[in-house]
Amino acid sequence: MSNPAPPPRIFDRALLNRRLDRAWTRPRGGAQADFLLARVAEDLSERLSLVKRRFAIAADFGSPGPHGAVALGAGGQVDCVIRIAPTETSVGTGDFLRAVGDLERLPAANGRLDLAVSLLALQTVNDLPGALVQMRRALRPDGLLIAAMIGGETLTELRQSLTIAECEILGGASPRVAPFVDVRALGGLAQRAGLALPVVDLDRATVRYADMFALLADLRAMGATNALEARSRKPLRRVALERAAATYAEQFADPDGKLRATFDIVWLSGWAPHESQPKPLQAGSATSRLADALKSRR
């Protein structure tokens, strides 16, 4: 049998890591540009509090900051937390074990973890199904996976404004905002990865800025600027940037003049299969008819 073709290279992951390191070494970087990471780490704590279980070993895979690992340690449900950071600079500090690894080649043995977590990292892997498979394999039977990634309509305002400006000024647009996973598609990917009882939901955050350039500054401070393989290697001309900023202000301003920026956070949870988990009934095994039930309610 021939080897399967490798996944397409959508993201320049080496560039992503360099930009993440630069963000963490800048005075305003890393810990200061962490409002999305702080939000999802708080949400992670709330979600785990609803799971009435202790976890012996948990790992935080690839998150761009230590917020998730810190939340796991502070929640009181995990005995040992391991943070596998994308780079040494972004490891951070906290009550957890430290390692550096790549989400596309996880340094984790099969069946060792009770809980696997990833916050705001999976949206930039080239092989999302493969990454989910690796995380599921790292879990013991009945282990839990929780992941949050940027998805949905994130930065739709910026994408539209840049596209309009480039088409008007330059006669065509180059890709500048990454494609994001769809909520419905993620459920299918979870099933393909072998996760049982998958649940997907979306949390929308709307952040307001004085102008488009303030948004771009935040994205740079997060290390989240354009790292698409198909990106233009030429800087966007100033006249096009100014036209994009004007379009943004014309189309996406609130009555007070502040500009909206959408960030959709897509959450996925699922379990490594185990015989104790609920299973769907086989087709044709029902003992009563839906039509009879509906008639009884008339």
Side-chain angles (χ1 to χ4, degrees):
M1 296 179 63
S2 60
N3 293 327
R9 284 174 54 87
I10 302 171
F11 300 98
D12 184 340
R13 291 187 55 77
L15 177 61
L16 280 165
N17 285 343
R18 291 197 299 272
R19 287 181 174 168
L20 181 62
D21 280 346
R22 185 172 60 190
W24 274 93
T25 53
R26 283 177 174 174
R28 189 175 179 263
Q32 283 71 46
D34 65 350
F35 60 92
L36 285 179
L37 265 174
R39 180 188 180 107
V40 296
E42 182 179 355
D43 202 351
L44 172 67
S45 298
E46 293 179 2
R47 289 166 183 263
L48 275 178
S49 69
L50 302 176
V51 182
K52 304 307 179 184
R53 179 182 297 191
R54 278 200 77 77
F55 301 95
I57 304 177
D60 169 23
F61 288 119
S63 303
H67 306 62
V70 171
L72 291 176
Q77 289 178 263
V78 180
D79 297 326
C80 176
V81 179
I82 305 166
R83 167 156 166 74
I84 301 178
T87 67
E88 287 193 21
T89 305
S90 63
V91 169
T93 59
D95 187 16
F96 48 79
L97 303 178
R98 297 159 180 79
V100 175
D102 188 346
L103 263 176
E104 296 188 333
R105 296 181 296 276
L106 288 182
N110 290 349
R112 295 295 182 87
L113 303 176
D114 302 284
L115 173 64
V117 167
S118 181
L119 302 183
L120 304 190
L122 287 167
Q123 71 272 359
T124 55
V125 297
N126 290 307
D127 183 10
L128 178 55
L132 292 174
V133 167
Q134 291 183 71
M135 293 176 70
R136 191 265 300 163
R137 288 176 177 169
L139 292 170
R140 293 189 176 101
D142 208 29
L144 176 61
L145 165 67
I146 301 181
M149 64 196 80
I150 299 296
E153 296 297 316
T154 294
L155 296 178
T156 182
E157 303 90 352
L158 179 62
R159 187 197 310 269
Q160 294 178 55
S161 300
L162 288 171
T163 300
I164 291 170
E166 285 195 275
C167 289
E168 288 183 1
I169 303 298
L170 306 176
S174 61
R176 297 190 180 275
V177 179
F180 296 116
V181 67
D182 178 74
V183 173
R184 291 165 294 185
L186 186 57
L189 292 178
Q191 291 181 324
R192 282 177 52 191
L195 289 167
L197 310 174
V199 176
V200 179
D201 63 272
L202 184 144
D203 173 33
R204 172 164 293 178
T206 301
V207 184
R208 303 200 314 146
Y209 290 93
D211 54 40
M212 188 189 79
F213 298 103
L215 166 60
L216 295 178
D218 260 1
L219 294 176
R220 282 193 296 271
M222 298 176 195
T225 48
N226 187 4
L228 291 168
E229 283 283 358
R231 70 192 183 279
S232 172
R233 267 53 175 183
K234 298 178 180 178
L236 188 59
R237 287 166 50 186
R238 183 72 187 182
V239 64
L241 268 176
E242 291 174 348
R243 179 66 187 116
T247 301
Y248 205 132
E250 292 165 5
Q251 298 193 10
F252 303 108
D254 286 332
D256 62 358
K258 293 290 185 70
L259 308 186
R260 302 183 301 278
T262 298
F263 293 91
D264 282 348
I265 301 165
V266 183
W267 285 90
L268 165 67
S269 63
W271 299 82
H274 188 265
E275 60 184 11
S276 66
Q277 293 166 353
K279 295 177 179 59
L281 296 174
Q282 293 183 351
S285 62
T287 58
S288 60
R289 298 192 312 145
L290 177 60
D292 295 337
L294 293 175
K295 287 179 182 178
S296 66
R297 295 185 180 182
R298 290 178 180 175

